[in-house]
Amino acid sequence: MTRAELIEKLVADYPGLTKKDLKRVVEAIFEAIMAGLENGDRVELRGFGSFEIRAREGRMGRNPRTGGIVPVAPKRHVRFRGSKQLQQTMNAARPL
């Protein structure tokens, strides 16, 4: 689901609200999550999951095309961990 599809779903579910207002709400939620992560905070949405920043150390990698060794810089990445409730819902929804 894309951001636009999410907004369209909300418009269909909440006909009393305008698309413009719902777009602002979705944007505000995403901005708040990103701001929390930028500050180094853990962002938890109860019943859905949590986002946190993890650090990856630098390492030596390999260029698959040439086979040469290439240094990979240290970086931070976002880790999402689904809540127990989300995981139970996803596992009960459809068998693999």
Side-chain angles (χ1 to χ4, degrees):
M1 176 181 284
T2 65
R3 188 179 301 211
E5 291 170 341
L6 173 62
I7 294 167
E8 290 300 325
K9 170 124 177 57
L10 291 172
V11 168
D13 291 348
Y14 300 97
L17 299 172
T18 66
K19 182 176 182 178
K20 186 177 181 180
D21 290 339
L22 289 169
K23 182 177 180 179
R24 278 193 237 154
V25 169
V26 169
E27 294 296 327
I29 291 169
F30 289 152
E31 286 174 12
I33 291 171
M34 287 189 286
L37 292 171
E38 285 175 358
N39 291 334
D41 298 332
R42 181 175 182 262
V43 179
E44 182 177 341
L45 304 172
R46 300 269 168 133
F48 182 68
S50 61
F51 299 88
E52 63 184 342
I53 296 292
R54 291 278 176 108
R56 287 190 180 163
E57 294 184 15
R59 60 185 172 84
M60 297 306 287
R62 186 173 299 275
N63 182 331
R65 184 172 293 169
T66 64
I69 295 177
V70 181
V72 177
K75 57 187 164 186
R76 299 183 320 162
H77 72 278
V78 177
R79 178 176 181 264
F80 173 76
R81 182 171 186 199
S83 70
K84 187 175 182 179
Q85 180 182 354
L86 176 66
Q87 292 187 17
Q88 287 173 345
T89 302
M90 292 302 104
N91 286 320
R94 261 185 253 170
L96 295 174

